[in-house]
Amino acid sequence: MACFTTILPGKCELLTLSRQQCVEIALRDNPTVRIANMEIKKVNYAKKETLASLFPSIDFSAAYQRSIELQTIRMNMGGESQSLKMGSDNTWNMGFNASLPLIAPTLWKSISISDTQILANLESARASRLDLVNNINKAYYALMLAKASHKVVKENYDIAKLNAEVYEKQFKAGTASEYDVLRSSVQVSNLEPELLQADIAIKQCSLQLKVLMGIAGDIEIEPDVTLEDMQRDMYVYPSNADNSLSDNSSLRSLDIQKQLLSKNVDLKKLAWLPTLGASFNLSWLSLSNGSPFKNQEFNPYSTVGLQLSVPIFSGGSKYYGLKQAKVQLKEIEIQREDLLNNLNMQVDLAISNINREARQIESSAEGVKQAKKAHEIMQKSFEIGAASFLDLRDSELANTSAQLTYLQSIYNFLVSTSELDLLLGKEPEL
């Protein structure tokens, strides 16, 4: 469980989180992931909209028509031409219309395409989650590195400050020159910007992590482990590890896109097939003269029928549309082959980098031990006057550099493993 600690009344809270907890919060609250999940819902609704086309469509309509001048016809009756008025003043027409597709090959294939589109959106949402997890990992590791680097710089600052105090005491006792006092004091001043920069780096990394997690800015995040604690889990990447690209999101998305294009080819072919639909009509008609609201007598009538549509000629549009769909399918097959080759090379390179960085960690850890021991010896020598300030300063710089190199190598290893997990499409272990 997350640990909350109030620092001061009215101030921000300290939230101690593991990397897994940061990932859980981000997957729940990050806007990008939430939008991706909404896209899945949207496609599901689109599929239901297509399925609705298989059901009967029922409409109600009503119309009223008032004649201004009735139609006149002339007829010869008994050798004489007579004029007759035809029609009525008022015409009311209302009723229900129903239609149902009986044979609709393109509609049936569209439903299948909708299923594949849902898979495409699911994979897109999965890709967003994997990318977010990778960014969370890198931001979390960056925060760990910033805090560890701050600790190293602070220790170096404290040592420089202690040495300056020693020179101050020696100067007052008459065993050190004013130059030594000024030089040690300048050294403390030179380290203050580095310490400030380390503080800024922590704030920047913390802000980036909070933005990715989608949490408020008045909460400070504290990792529950240090980079040194994580070294015990770092070994050379095993050669027998599962490096299959079957879960790679880009490859899976391309495969789904290939399925869509293949079904689109089938859809183009089905455009040549006939369609058959049924219709039913139930209406009421009323004809009257005078007031439109009096003496109305509605008489029902109904019809039922079938409508067959057979495509014969469309100027070649269907033919060239099918050719275009086949070309698109061939293109994506070539793209997949090229992508697979590139991904295999990226995996090999990533594993090589991880193994190299693991060896770098071992080498840097040994360098830290040697630099620390050398600094301790030089510190003792300086305290008894057997070493100069420059010798001491050189040992301090070497010790600080060794520690920062060691921390950086751990960070590089962690980031590389996260990038490899993203490349292989591995889901986070929560």
Side-chain angles (χ1 to χ4, degrees), residues 60-119:
F60 173 79
S61 61
Y64 168 74
Q65 181 175 305
R66 177 74 178 184
S67 297
I68 299 176
E69 184 68 31
L70 296 179
Q71 291 182 344
T72 301
I73 63 172
R74 290 184 173 275
M75 300 181 62
N76 290 322
M77 300 179 63
E80 296 181 0
S81 178
Q82 298 183 2
S83 297
L84 298 176
K85 296 287 186 179
M86 296 188 62
S88 57
D89 296 337
N90 306 301
T91 303
W92 288 91
N93 192 353
M94 65 183 68
F96 295 92
N97 295 292
S99 61
L100 175 66
L102 300 178
I103 300 177
T106 55
L107 179 58
W108 299 337
K109 179 58 66 173
S110 297
I111 295 174
S112 176
I113 291 177
S114 298
D115 290 333
T116 308
Q117 187 60 53
I118 291 175
L119 294 178

Side-chain angles (χ1 to χ4, degrees), residues 196-405:
L196 178 61
Q197 187 62 38
D199 286 328
I200 295 175
I202 292 176
K203 293 179 180 178
Q204 290 177 338
C205 294
S206 179
L207 179 60
Q208 181 183 10
L209 182 58
K210 288 188 291 184
V211 169
L212 290 171
M213 293 172 62
I215 64 176
D218 57 349
I219 295 177
E220 292 300 326
I221 298 177
E222 177 71 23
D224 66 340
V225 294
T226 64
L227 285 177
E228 295 91 333
D229 295 334
M230 301 190 70
Q231 185 189 358
R232 62 179 178 269
D233 299 326
M234 298 179 187
Y235 302 99
V236 175
Y237 196 83
S239 58
N240 60 346
D242 183 13
N243 298 325
S244 171
L245 288 167
S246 59
D247 290 331
N248 178 269
S249 186
S250 297
L251 200 60
R252 289 176 56 163
S253 296
L254 208 59
D255 287 337
I256 295 174
Q257 187 65 27
K258 181 180 176 181
Q259 294 180 31
L260 283 172
L261 291 177
S262 179
K263 291 182 177 181
N264 187 46
V265 170
D266 296 336
L267 184 65
K268 296 292 184 181
K269 294 178 179 178
L270 294 175
W272 273 288
L273 297 181
T275 60
L276 179 64
S279 62
F280 173 76
N281 175 267
L282 176 61
S283 299
W284 289 268
L285 179 65
S286 175
L287 303 174
S288 65
N289 293 317
S291 173
F293 303 106
K294 294 181 180 180
N295 302 322
Q296 299 299 327
E297 181 179 352
F298 289 92
N299 299 303
Y301 72 95
S302 59
T303 61
V304 63
L306 296 175
Q307 181 176 359
L308 176 67
S309 176
V310 181
I312 296 177
F313 180 71
S314 59
S317 61
K318 293 183 178 66
Y319 174 78
Y320 291 112
L322 177 60
K323 288 290 185 181
Q324 180 182 355
K326 288 182 177 180
V327 171
Q328 290 177 331
L329 182 59
K330 186 63 177 179
E331 287 177 347
I332 206 166
E333 290 175 351
I334 298 174
Q335 291 175 12
R336 188 189 188 282
E337 182 180 355
D338 181 61
L339 176 63
L340 184 60
N341 292 333
N342 288 332
L343 290 175
N344 283 322
M345 288 189 293
Q346 291 179 37
V347 169
D348 292 339
L349 180 61
I351 294 175
S352 176
N353 288 337
I354 289 174
N355 293 334
R356 175 178 54 81
E357 288 157 359
R359 291 189 293 269
Q360 178 65 36
I361 291 174
E362 297 178 359
S363 175
S364 300
E366 184 64 26
V368 169
K369 294 179 181 178
Q370 295 176 353
K372 184 176 181 181
K373 185 176 181 180
H375 176 64
E376 290 175 350
I377 295 173
M378 191 59 64
Q379 182 71 35
K380 296 295 184 182
S381 300
F382 173 74
E383 291 175 357
I384 64 176
S388 66
F389 179 80
L390 291 177
D391 295 331
L392 177 62
R393 181 56 189 158
D394 288 340
S395 69
E396 291 174 353
L397 291 175
N399 184 41
T400 301
S401 178
Q403 292 185 63
L404 293 177
T405 300

Side-chain angles (χ1 to χ4, degrees), residues 18-24 26-27 129-145 205 208-209 212-213 223 227 230 410-411 413-422 426-430:
S18 66
R19 181 185 60 84
Q20 291 82 356
Q21 288 172 326
C22 291
V23 170
E24 289 178 359
L27 291 178
R129 291 195 300 270
L130 291 176
D131 189 60
L132 176 62
V133 169
N134 181 48
N135 289 332
I136 287 288
N137 289 342
K138 292 192 292 185
Y140 190 85
Y141 298 147
L143 180 59
M144 294 170 63
L145 176 62
C205 294
Q208 181 183 10
L209 182 58
L212 290 171
M213 293 172 62
L227 285 177
M230 301 190 70
I410 297 176
Y411 169 80
F413 178 91
L414 293 172
V415 169
S416 295
T417 54
S418 180
E419 291 285 355
L420 180 59
D421 287 343
L422 175 64
K426 291 184 177 181
E427 297 282 353
E429 297 179 1
L430 303 177

Side-chain angles (χ1 to χ4, degrees), residues 121-133:
N121 280 58
L122 285 171
E123 186 58 37
S124 177
R126 176 177 174 270
S128 297
R129 291 195 300 270
L130 291 176
D131 189 60
L132 176 62
V133 169

Side-chain angles (χ1 to χ4, degrees), residues 138-195:
K138 292 192 292 185
Y140 190 85
Y141 298 147
L143 180 59
M144 294 170 63
L145 176 62
K147 286 183 173 291
S149 300
H150 179 274
K151 180 181 177 182
V152 171
V153 174
K154 183 66 167 58
E155 290 175 352
N156 190 24
Y157 174 80
D158 291 340
I159 292 174
K161 193 173 182 180
L162 177 61
N163 291 333
E165 293 174 353
V166 170
Y167 268 118
E168 183 70 25
K169 293 178 181 179
Q170 290 178 351
F171 175 71
K172 292 180 179 179
T175 58
S177 65
E178 184 179 3
Y179 173 74
D180 292 330
V181 174
L182 292 174
R183 184 170 56 180
S184 61
S185 178
V186 169
Q187 181 59 38
V188 173
S189 299
N190 289 339
L191 288 174
E192 288 177 351
E194 295 183 18
L195 190 61

